[in-house]
Amino acid sequence: MKISLGPIHYYWSKENIEQFYRRAEHWPVDIVYLGETVCAKRRALRSADWLDIAARLTDAGKEVVLSTLALLEANSDLLQLERICANAHYLVEANDMSAVHLLAGRGPFVIGPHINCYNAETLSLLADLGARRWVPPVELSATTIAMVQNTRPETMETEAFAYGYLPLSFSARCFTARADNVGKDACELRCINDPEGRALFTQEHERLFTINGIQLQSGIPCNLLNETVAMSEMGIDIVRISPQLAATEFVIRAFHAALNGDGGSPVEYDSPACNGYWYGKPGMQFSPVQGD
Amino acid sequence: MNHRKPELVCPAGGLPALKAAVDNGADAIYIGFRDDTNARNFPGLNFGPEETARGMEYAHRAGKKVLLAINTYPQAHNWAVWTSAVDRAAELGIDAVIMADPGLLRYAATHYPDLRLHLSVQASATTYKALEFYHQRFGIQRAVLPRVLSLQQLWHTIANSPVEIEVFGYGSLCVMVEGRCALSSYITGRSPNASGVCSPAESVRWEETALGRESRLNGVLIDRHGLNEAAGYPTLCKGRYYTDAQAYYAIEEPTSLNILDVLPDLFHHGIAAIKVEGRQRSPAYVASVARVLREAIDTCAADPARYLVRNQWTAVLDRLSEGQTHTLGAYHRPWH
């Protein structure tokens, strides 16, 4: 199995983004997804800056994929999407049907986790249009994914969201701005101050969600490190690690070790994690590995 | 202004609500079968085969249409349940089917080329490019847009859309992009996309405690209400949480969408249909809302330039609203 580094969900400064990917050149990841998927207002990097990063990562032997917005609202969002889809060098990850429409019949592309591909019929339809890899929606269970795997088109690769805060929902509203009691139009890109999102707690101090601008994520990270054997048996081709400002390298090396036969016994996590969706349960739950 | 009057599309969770909608001015009534093929899969709600036929007869006799929502996402283990729902809809001669799943849309378009297809709000289509996709691939004739676009964005989408556009006009407000929300399954295991429910009733618990009346969803504290506070249904995005010191409605307050203020603009830009949310609501709710919107639409159609929202309409609708208040939602920029 390969390891991919998913798109950065948060808003980081240009320096942080560039430093992160300079380090990533040396990490044992095979595929790197670049670009903004959450909010069109986040423009710390221009397209040319992203392409510079893409070129360096390609030189470092990584496969680069340009990722795209999940929620498009303004016409300018659509124009930007058209530019990305028209690029001649890199695969594109579609996260909205607008992107699928623009990419259809123009060569291979990737179905991101925000495309609602819940069954084999939809996957086969998307394959006919040129999709060659899909990231199942995060709420799909291992059992469901395995059933789709049984009939997936021959050229299709499957990439599972294996580590990180789960992207659970999108809104027109910015919850970061709302938390600070300002409107989205006056947000001043304040989410740059939350490089790992902002924790949302219940009145009993349980960390329920993570606010990331217009996106809500899980309150604790999903961690499928102990499922790599099962994933391999199901024919999953790629595990996706979702970037955090800190500790991403540690996570990547842990997965790399597990995938290379170094993961003898299940890892005891020292921080809360969830894997409920994988077992067909509420996503926030955690089940120990179900081995034999 | 040559645009035709938009259709009023009202919800029905059962035969009495369908009759109430027909009798009080709906042009079309949308329903769902009694299973998880639709996004209001609540206990005691929806239509069996015989009720569907009777409902259609009642509506058709009055010259109204019946639309059927098959708008959740089937999975491998239950795919056949969804295709058989499409088969039944076609056999019954339903006026249109409202769908979201691309695989299922292809099934319907291939097997029943004469079946009219509407794109459900659950398909999350927010751009005319996405609408082109569904139109070209499956021949959809109408799309219901998620409640995320501002009015300017909506006008642009309508102007470039290959299909008719239907928008929500009144009812409970999904603050998230419909079809793009797994918050409910994160807490309860069941989501609108996969199971047709959000914050399902079987996961809800109410508890009286020393700190107040607590509402829980699968054990998670959604809100805590003081003695004199009205406590609504604990939909998870309408709970009070905190990021800093004080608990607040971090996601959305209990409120309902109401577009009466912008009705003339919707006419002007050629909206095809205005939809009322609430298949889970009572026949009395459906009757009241249908009556108000019928009167408002007819008033606007008669003379859009002199149209004014009547206080009485607002009063009736606010009484039926969550939190007894209303909002223009995403249509109004400050809401964002």
Side-chain angles (χ1 to χ4, degrees):
Chain A
M1 262 190 293
K2 293 179 180 175
I3 299 178
S4 77
L5 191 54
I8 299 168
H9 287 150
Y10 309 102
Y11 190 39
W12 293 352
S13 68
K14 185 168 189 271
E15 294 69 32
N16 277 345
I17 295 171
E18 287 176 344
Q19 278 172 21
F20 180 82
Y21 287 118
R22 284 226 176 78
R23 296 203 305 275
E25 290 170 30
H26 309 288
W27 295 341
V29 294
D30 306 286
I31 305 162
V32 182
Y33 291 80
L34 296 179
E36 180 60 43
T37 59
V38 176
C39 180
K41 292 176 78 173
R42 296 170 171 178
R43 293 194 193 115
L45 267 66
R46 298 166 303 145
S47 301
D49 300 324
W50 282 115
L51 291 176
D52 285 347
I53 293 172
R56 277 201 304 274
L57 287 164
T58 305
D59 289 345
K62 315 295 185 196
E63 177 193 323
V64 168
V65 182
L66 304 182
S67 204
T68 54
L69 278 181
L71 171 59
L72 294 107
E73 295 168 306
N75 196 46
S76 51
D77 303 345
L78 209 46
L79 296 173
Q80 171 69 3
L81 179 70
E82 283 175 344
R83 279 192 290 273
I84 296 171
C85 293
N87 99 86
H89 296 287
Y90 302 104
L91 268 181
V92 175
E93 176 182 72
N95 278 313
D96 182 80
M97 278 305 185
S98 316
V100 171
H101 186 56
L102 292 166
L103 293 163
R106 286 167 64 160
F109 63 95
V110 179
I111 295 297
H114 307 301
I115 296 286
N116 282 335
C117 182
Y118 277 75
N119 51 60
E121 286 72 11
T122 298
L123 189 62
S124 126
L125 165 74
L126 294 168
D128 291 346
L129 303 178
R132 79 156 205 222
R133 180 185 302 157
W134 75 301
V135 186
V138 296
E139 69 172 4
L140 285 193
S141 69
T143 309
T144 301
I145 296 171
M147 288 177 86
V148 178
Q149 290 291 91
N150 288 338
T151 54
R152 75 173 174 179
E154 251 176 45
T155 51
M156 187 65 69
E157 290 180 317
T158 306
E159 175 170 339
F161 190 99
Y163 187 92
Y165 289 83
L166 295 163
L168 294 176
S169 73
F170 294 87
S171 175
R173 170 174 279 170
C174 175
F175 302 104
T176 305
R178 183 175 174 85
D180 289 344
N181 210 18
V182 299
K184 183 173 157 191
D185 287 342
C187 76
E188 296 174 331
L189 298 167
R190 64 191 55 235
C191 53
I192 206 160
N193 300 319
D194 300 324
E196 298 206 325
R198 198 179 298 192
L200 184 79
F201 299 91
T202 70
Q203 293 179 53
E204 290 177 319
H205 321 296
E206 179 180 13
R207 183 165 168 172
L208 186 59
F209 299 126
T210 303
I211 289 177
N212 175 33
I214 65 158
Q215 180 185 64
L216 288 188
Q217 306 176 325
S218 56
I220 48 176
C222 162
N223 189 345
L224 301 183
L225 180 59
N226 283 333
E227 317 298 337
T228 52
V229 173
M231 283 197 251
S232 173
E233 285 168 358
M234 281 165 58
I236 284 177
D237 307 275
I238 303 154
V239 288
R240 172 176 290 203
I241 314 290
S242 191
Q244 296 291 122
L245 198 55
T248 296
E249 180 176 2
F250 175 82
V251 173
I252 288 168
R253 295 204 181 279
F255 271 87
H256 183 70
L259 294 176
N260 288 280
D262 204 10
S265 57
V267 181
E268 293 289 333
Y269 303 128
D270 55 3
S271 57
C274 62
N275 63 6
Y277 281 136
W278 183 255
Y279 288 106
K281 294 177 177 170
M284 68 192 293
Q285 291 184 1
F286 181 79
S287 302
V289 68
Q290 290 178 355
D292 40 15
Chain B
M1 207 183 313
N2 297 318
H3 295 296
R4 66 188 159 99
K5 193 155 74 170
E7 260 182 25
L8 174 59
V9 182
C10 289
L15 212 43
L18 181 144
K19 289 178 178 172
V22 169
D23 297 347
N24 287 280
D27 298 304
I29 299 90
Y30 67 104
I31 65 170
F33 285 145
R34 193 170 293 136
D35 55 29
D36 45 8
T37 60
N38 70 90
R40 288 291 183 281
N41 174 27
F42 298 171
L45 209 65
N46 294 324
F47 287 70
E50 197 199 326
E51 289 155 307
T52 308
R54 283 170 59 197
M56 286 176 62
E57 196 190 330
Y58 192 87
H60 286 167
R61 209 182 300 139
K64 318 290 188 181
K65 295 176 197 155
V66 176
L67 319 177
L68 179 79
I70 309 178
N71 58 348
T72 45
Y73 290 85
Q75 297 175 31
H77 67 280
N78 55 23
W79 172 256
V81 178
W82 270 251
T83 53
S84 83
V86 174
D87 297 341
R88 262 183 292 154
E91 283 158 20
L92 282 162
I94 212 98
D95 296 294
V97 181
I98 309 166
M99 295 204 289
D101 184 77
L104 199 67
L105 279 158
R106 179 160 73 171
Y107 175 87
T110 310
H111 290 78
Y112 306 103
D114 295 333
L115 183 60
R116 181 179 162 98
L117 303 179
H118 290 186
L119 188 68
S120 168
V121 69
Q122 296 298 123
S124 324
T126 57
T127 73
Y128 70 89
K129 287 288 176 196
L131 298 175
E132 279 177 8
F133 174 82
Y134 292 100
H135 178 60
Q136 287 179 15
R137 302 285 162 191
F138 317 118
I140 62 155
Q141 296 185 52
R142 182 186 289 180
V144 187
L145 298 190
R147 286 161 275 201
V148 296
L149 299 182
S150 67
L151 285 178
Q152 290 311 314
Q153 292 164 349
L154 178 61
W155 308 152
H156 186 264
T157 305
I158 296 172
N160 291 281
S161 168
V163 298
E164 298 177 352
I165 298 297
E166 175 172 323
V167 293
F168 278 91
Y170 177 78
S172 286
L173 192 65
C174 247
V175 64
M176 300 301 167
V177 187
E178 293 90 340
R180 291 258 176 79
C181 182
L183 298 178
S184 179
S185 61
Y186 182 67
I187 296 177
T188 71
R190 301 181 77 208
S191 71
N193 279 1
S195 305
V197 286
C198 172
S199 311
E202 80 267 9
S203 299
V204 172
R205 295 287 176 276
W206 295 93
E207 287 166 20
E208 303 290 344
T209 73
L211 295 167
R213 170 187 271 205
E214 295 179 347
S215 56
R216 291 180 184 275
L217 194 62
N218 201 19
V220 172
L221 183 64
I222 301 299
D223 208 348
R224 190 178 272 151
H225 300 273
L227 269 180
N228 300 316
E229 257 186 320
Y233 186 87
T235 307
L236 70 95
C237 59
K238 288 164 185 169
R240 275 178 289 194
Y241 309 107
Y242 73 93
T243 50
D244 193 3
Q246 188 141 24
Y248 67 109
Y249 291 112
I251 307 173
E252 173 65 316
E253 345 19 38
T255 182
S256 286
L257 177 73
N258 176 342
I259 51 75
L260 287 185
D261 281 338
V262 295
L263 207 49
D265 298 320
L266 292 171
F267 272 61
H268 178 72
H269 289 274
I271 209 81
I274 293 173
K275 180 168 200 149
V276 174
E277 186 275 347
R279 281 194 284 129
Q280 73 284 11
R281 303 289 295 261
S282 70
Y285 162 94
V286 173
S288 300
V289 177
R291 207 156 43 229
V292 167
L293 288 186
R294 176 79 277 151
E295 200 177 328
I297 289 171
D298 289 348
T299 305
C300 188
D303 191 354
R306 297 182 57 190
Y307 166 87
L308 280 174
V309 178
R310 292 185 197 150
N311 290 339
Q312 187 205 348
W313 299 341
T314 307
V316 170
L317 294 183
D318 278 358
R319 264 202 305 280
L320 299 166
S321 295
E322 278 185 76
Q324 283 70 54
T325 179
H326 68 270
T327 171
L328 268 174
Y331 299 128
H332 187 50
R333 280 306 298 188
W335 179 91
H336 293 242

